[in-house]
């Protein structure tokens, strides 16, 4: 800029600044637009529509009719919703801690310098990238009653035929369907969370372990006083991801049990799907389905907020 | 190592010899002590190592055994998949299962070839669009300053917390109303504009020094030029991560096809396999179902082996997927 010329054109500068700003805004939007159009149409609008639809009566045919809170009232008075909610909670409170502990243990084991560590990491991670369908098909055969490898192993271990858990099919009083789904889900996901923990372990400075060793801390003490606090951000993140992931469990259940036997593994996501388009039962009730979806959304939101607050308090 | 200071004056040769021998003795002793301590340590160390390896071998066998069983069963006869006691190797090998599954007459009107073709088309198109629009938008978010940018980005972040299961039905209604249900377009639109790609790429762009684009700007390159000529070439590792994750995600997607695809010729491999395994007409063909499972997993396994590093990096930096 010319400093010698006196009439400092502040107005021109301001003008130029706003021109630059306009140029940048235009520029920024052109970059973002291609993705944003898709994102707005396919994510933002559906989310907004969801809340509206949940207050209407709307089938596959015809137009939505506003009915106020009717869908929510039906939801809370109907047994199916509570069954689905309970099943989802049941799945979550077992699957979440189990996966957390196993993936952390795996990460600690595989964080050491040794030969073959890459192979073991790959083996642990591999189930996560294979398709749910292939996994479910294989595990369903493994879980087949009596002649399936798992039941055969159990009877070999001395479990009598009538005590064999009825995994994904059985009509026996005790169904092992939910445990079976949880076993498969944990097996599939632990490698993924292990990776997150491994990444978290890399951020803990090795000097801390050195210092702890100098002070005579044994490996257990080193874990509690160095590793665990050092992993806190990772553990927080993993807990949130796992809890939300558990609450929205869907495809695994769909391909393994379809919510059955009976309603033993019916979960919220599936109820949403089933009431709106599913073939079984009364399909085509978009309003009711959306009310369930709103409840799922609110549950996930509440969990995130609670965990966030707990984490903040623990940080202090 | 304990090195006693070579004591010594040149004036006393005998003294020097004595001290040297003393030195040697003490060194030998020291070495022996160290060696002893070392062997001692290494015995327990070895026990620990062996136990660790044993544990890991058992764990990885447990993790991989379903895959082993899947592959083995795909070479069996249908009625041999279940046998008492469990047979871990087939009596006779039937590699022709892999040909049988591709012949239409065999598979109850199902066409494996079609399913693979559809899946491949979807995975490639979605990956291409996701990388292109995602990296483009990420540049806007990372490098162009304009009012409302942060609020907009927050919108992207916030929707990641909303489970897809919650809004899949309105999305389905929308796409059905515009006539895209039962077309591959629905799946493409569904997968291609996720916030995930924007995220991952933005994260990466922010690690590239600003000075680089600044100097390019001074050299007269436009923003698009900077994106195309500088940022894109520099972000090859991030693009590799994003491409691999998106490809695998689309290949493995089951829910999208389940919701939208009705026509059997449009099925993807996942939806096809699931229908094949659930159809009473074909469900008894256990070996063939396992063959289908192997075929659905194989491409992903190969891609994963080749690009493992990028997978791991993508997951570690973004911490999320899908």
């Amino acid at each position: 800029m010319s400093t010698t010329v006196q009439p400092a054109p502040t107005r021109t500068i301001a003008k130029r600044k706003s021109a630059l700003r306009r140029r940048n805004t235009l520029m920024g939007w052109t970059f973002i637009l291609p993705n944003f159009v898709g994102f707005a149409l396919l994510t933002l609008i559906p989310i907004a529509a969801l809340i509206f639809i949940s207050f209407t009566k709307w089938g596959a045919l015809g137009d939505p009719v506003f009915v106020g809170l009717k869908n929510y009232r039906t939801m809370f008075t109907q047994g199916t919703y509570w069954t689905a909610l309970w099943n989802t909670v049941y799945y979550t409170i077992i699957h979440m801690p189990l996966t957390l502990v196993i993936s952390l243990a795996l990460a600690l084991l595989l964080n050491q310098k040794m030969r073959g560590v890459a192979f073991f990491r790959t083996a642990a991670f591999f189930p996560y990238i294979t398709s749910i369908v292939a996994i479910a098909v294989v595990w369903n055969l493994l879980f087949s009653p009596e002649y399936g490898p798992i039941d055969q192993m159990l009877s070999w271990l001395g479990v009598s035929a009538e005590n064999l858990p009825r995994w994904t099919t059985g009509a026996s009083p005790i169904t092992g369907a939910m445990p079976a789904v949880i076993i498969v889900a944990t097996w599939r996901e632990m490698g993924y969370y292990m990776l997150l923990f491994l990444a978290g372990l890399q951020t803990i400075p090795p000097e801390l372990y050195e210092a702890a060793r100098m002070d005579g801390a044994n490996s257990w003490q080193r874990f509690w006083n160095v590793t665990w606090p050092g992993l806190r951000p990772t553990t927080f993140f993993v807990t949130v991801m796992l809890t939300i992931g558990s609450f929205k469990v869907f495809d695994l259940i769909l391909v393994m049990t379809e919510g059955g036997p009976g309603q033993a593994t019916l979960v919220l996501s599936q109820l949403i799907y089933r009431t709106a388009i599913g073939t079984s039962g009364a399909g085509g009730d978009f309003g009711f389905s959306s009310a369930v979806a709103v409840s799922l959304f609110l549950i996930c939101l509440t969990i995130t907020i609670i965990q966030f607050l707990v984490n903040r308090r623990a940080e202090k | 190592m304990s090195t006693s200071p070579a004591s010594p004056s040149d004036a006393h040769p005998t003294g020097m010899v004595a001290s040297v021998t003393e030195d040697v003795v003490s060194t030998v002793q020291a070495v022996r002590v160290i060696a002893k301590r070392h062997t001692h340590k290494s015995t327990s160390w070895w026990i620990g190592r062996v136990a660790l390896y044993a544990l890991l071998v058992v764990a990885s066998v447990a993790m991989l055994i379903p895959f082993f069983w899947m592959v083995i069963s795909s070479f069996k006869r249908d009625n041999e998949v279940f046998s008492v006691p469990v047979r871990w190797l087939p009596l006779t090998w039937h590699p022709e299962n892999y040909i049988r599954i591709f012949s239409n007459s065999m598979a109850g009107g199902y066409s494996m070839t079609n399913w693979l073709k559809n899946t491949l088309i979807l995975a490639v198109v979605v990956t291409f669009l996701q990388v292109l629009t995602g990296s483009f938008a990420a540049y806007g978010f990372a490098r162009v300053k304009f009012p409302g940018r942060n609020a907009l980005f927050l919108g992207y972040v916030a929707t990641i917390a909303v489970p897809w299961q919650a809004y899949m039905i309105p999305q389905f209604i929308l796409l059905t109303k515009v006539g895209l249900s039962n077309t591959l377009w629905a799946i493409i639109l569904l997968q291609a504009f996720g916030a995930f790609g924007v995220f991952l790429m933005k994260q990466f762009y922010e690690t590239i020094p600003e000075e680089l684009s600044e100097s390019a700007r001074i050299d007269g390159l436009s923003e698009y030029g900077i994106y195309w000529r500088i940022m894109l070439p520099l972000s090859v590792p991030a693009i590799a991560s994003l491409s691999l994750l998106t490809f695998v995600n689309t290949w493995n997607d089951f829910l999208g096809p389940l919701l939208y695809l009705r026509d059997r010729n449009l099925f993807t491999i996942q939806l096809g396999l699931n229908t094949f395994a659930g159809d009473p007409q074909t469900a008894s063909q256990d070996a063939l179902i396992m063959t289908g499972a192997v075929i659905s997993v194989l491409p992903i396994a190969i891609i994963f082996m080749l690009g493992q590093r990028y997978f791991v990096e993508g997951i570690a930096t973004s911490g999320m997927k899908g």
Side-chain angles (χ1 to χ4, degrees):
Chain A
M1 277 290 136
S2 50
T3 42
T4 43
V5 183
Q6 256 320 300
T10 39
R11 263 176 62 203
T12 335
I13 287 175
K15 227 181 189 172
R16 206 168 283 176
K17 238 181 177 169
S18 81
L20 183 74
R21 205 191 215 182
R22 217 175 313 127
R23 192 194 75 107
N24 270 350
T25 309
L26 195 72
M27 194 69 85
W29 272 102
T30 50
F31 273 108
I32 291 163
L33 212 59
N35 188 276
F36 185 76
V37 170
F39 172 73
L41 283 176
L42 292 149
T43 306
L44 291 184
I45 291 177
I47 290 175
L50 169 77
I51 296 161
F52 166 74
I53 298 172
S54 76
F55 293 112
T56 66
K57 183 179 163 52
W58 195 12
L61 303 164
D63 292 320
V65 181
F66 189 80
V67 292
L69 289 171
K70 187 165 167 285
N71 290 321
Y72 291 93
R73 255 192 313 247
T74 326
M75 189 172 92
F76 288 125
T77 49
Q78 207 191 53
T80 320
Y81 176 75
W82 294 109
T83 311
L85 182 61
W86 163 245
N87 286 338
T88 315
V89 171
Y90 170 28
Y91 174 85
T92 305
I93 56 179
I94 310 284
H95 172 249
M96 197 275 280
L98 192 67
T99 311
L100 189 77
V101 169
I102 294 180
S103 55
L104 177 57
L106 271 177
L108 291 173
L109 276 182
L110 294 178
N111 194 37
Q112 320 199 17
K113 276 206 178 65
M114 57 182 209
R115 257 166 202 286
V117 76
F119 169 78
F120 293 120
R121 284 184 192 177
T122 308
F125 185 65
F126 192 63
Y128 185 71
I129 55 142
T130 39
S131 82
I132 292 247
V133 175
I135 280 173
V137 165
V138 173
W139 277 93
N140 268 349
L141 291 188
L142 289 173
F143 275 126
S144 321
E146 277 189 79
Y147 304 116
I150 290 173
D151 272 11
Q152 279 195 49
M153 203 158 73
L154 288 178
S155 33
W156 184 73
L157 288 171
V159 182
S160 63
E162 63 268 26
N163 280 337
L164 284 177
R166 294 287 175 261
W167 294 112
T168 53
T169 46
S172 122
I174 324 154
T175 166
M178 193 56 103
V181 171
I182 293 174
I183 289 170
V184 178
T186 306
W187 169 82
R188 183 176 132 84
E189 289 166 25
M190 62 192 179
Y192 172 68
Y193 293 107
M194 173 199 76
L195 270 193
L196 296 185
F197 274 125
L198 276 172
L201 285 170
Q202 303 301 313
T203 63
I204 302 174
E207 298 84 48
L208 289 182
Y209 288 103
E210 212 44 58
R213 215 168 297 198
M214 291 287 189
D215 291 346
N218 62 29
S219 52
W220 188 244
Q221 288 166 323
R222 284 201 301 273
F223 172 76
W224 274 118
N225 297 306
V226 181
T227 313
W228 185 246
L231 276 180
R232 249 181 47 78
T234 316
T235 316
F236 168 67
F237 183 69
V238 168
T239 317
V240 172
M241 297 278 292
L242 253 174
T243 317
I244 292 182
S246 306
F247 261 96
K248 59 184 195 187
V249 60
F250 186 19
D251 40 8
L252 185 65
I253 295 227
L254 215 54
V255 285
M256 268 190 80
T257 65
E258 281 193 87
Q263 294 189 330
T265 52
L266 177 72
V267 288
L268 286 177
S269 311
Q270 203 193 345
L271 187 62
I272 297 170
Y273 168 73
R274 207 160 85 165
T275 34
I277 12 187
T279 41
S280 58
D285 191 348
F286 294 147
F288 182 79
S289 165
S290 296
V292 180
V294 168
S295 87
L296 175 66
F297 169 53
L298 289 179
I299 290 170
C300 289
L301 190 71
T302 315
I303 290 168
T304 316
I305 292 171
I306 290 174
Q307 277 168 337
F308 189 74
L309 291 178
V310 169
N311 182 53
R312 261 239 304 250
R313 185 183 288 172
E315 240 164 32
K316 275 174 195 164
Chain B
M1 197 142 291
S2 70
T3 44
S4 49
S7 62
S9 49
D10 294 12
H12 301 285
T14 43
M16 190 183 152
V17 170
S19 92
V20 166
T21 41
E22 246 176 48
D23 243 28
V24 168
V25 169
S26 71
T27 311
V28 166
Q29 265 170 352
V31 166
R32 212 174 272 159
V33 167
I34 286 168
K36 209 174 174 186
R37 205 188 291 152
H38 193 71
T39 39
H40 180 68
K41 198 178 174 188
S42 84
T43 332
S44 69
W45 183 85
W46 275 110
I47 292 172
R49 276 283 121 138
V50 169
L52 182 66
Y53 272 103
L55 186 69
L56 285 174
V57 167
V58 170
S60 41
V61 165
M63 282 184 279
L64 295 179
I65 220 163
F67 293 110
F68 176 75
W69 200 73
M70 173 175 87
V71 172
I72 286 303
S73 302
S74 75
F75 286 105
K76 289 180 174 177
R77 269 207 326 267
D78 284 327
N79 56 9
E80 205 200 320
V81 171
F82 294 109
S83 53
V84 184
V86 181
R87 209 170 275 134
W88 291 105
L89 286 177
L91 279 178
T92 47
W93 292 80
H94 293 276
E96 75 273 11
N97 285 348
Y98 284 86
I99 298 163
R100 246 182 1 142
I101 199 163
F102 282 102
S103 68
N104 287 0
S105 60
M106 181 54 244
Y110 295 109
S111 169
M112 196 68 174
T113 324
N114 257 348
W115 297 344
L116 282 173
K117 197 183 76 194
N118 293 336
T119 317
L120 192 66
I121 291 173
L122 285 177
V124 169
V125 173
V126 166
T127 305
F128 178 75
L129 282 176
Q130 169 81 273
V131 169
L132 196 72
T133 68
S135 69
F136 208 55
Y139 183 84
F141 279 125
R143 283 300 153 84
V144 187
K145 284 203 184 78
F146 63 94
R149 182 187 72 170
N150 293 341
L152 196 62
F153 189 67
L154 202 69
Y156 269 81
V157 181
T159 55
I160 287 191
V162 184
W164 177 77
Q165 282 83 336
Y167 62 87
M168 63 182 173
I169 298 304
Q171 199 178 48
F172 173 78
I173 299 172
L174 184 92
L175 286 173
T176 309
K177 292 271 178 221
V178 294
L180 289 178
S181 183
N182 202 20
T183 64
L184 294 183
W185 285 107
I187 313 295
I188 292 174
L189 290 174
L190 209 66
Q191 297 273 6
F193 301 102
F196 174 69
V198 181
F199 241 64
L200 198 140
M201 294 308 293
K202 178 177 180 267
Q203 208 103 325
F204 189 85
Y205 285 159
E206 278 167 355
T207 65
I208 298 176
E210 178 83 56
E211 291 81 38
L212 222 56
S213 23
E214 203 50 60
S215 62
R217 218 163 277 150
I218 290 166
D219 288 345
L221 219 55
S222 72
E223 292 293 323
Y224 306 109
I226 297 172
Y227 162 77
W228 186 250
R229 299 237 193 116
I230 294 178
M231 296 303 253
L232 222 48
L234 280 175
S235 58
V236 166
I239 290 176
S241 290
L242 179 60
S243 306
L244 289 179
L245 287 173
T246 311
F247 188 92
V248 169
N249 234 3
T250 315
W251 183 279
N252 284 343
D253 184 27
F254 169 67
L255 294 173
L258 174 74
L259 234 67
Y260 288 95
L261 305 179
R262 296 276 167 269
D263 185 350
R264 274 189 184 175
N265 285 322
L266 290 178
F267 277 10
T268 61
I269 177 81
Q270 308 304 338
L271 185 58
L273 183 63
N274 192 55
T275 320
F276 187 65
D279 186 338
Q281 265 192 310
T282 47
S284 61
Q285 299 173 312
D286 290 319
L288 219 52
I289 292 171
M290 289 297 110
T291 311
V294 171
I295 292 174
S296 81
V297 169
L298 203 62
I300 297 304
I302 293 170
I303 288 175
F304 176 63
M305 294 303 164
L306 293 178
Q308 199 174 3
R309 189 162 73 88
Y310 297 111
F311 271 93
V312 174
E313 266 161 26
I315 286 171
T317 52
S318 66
M320 61 185 107
K321 183 178 169 223

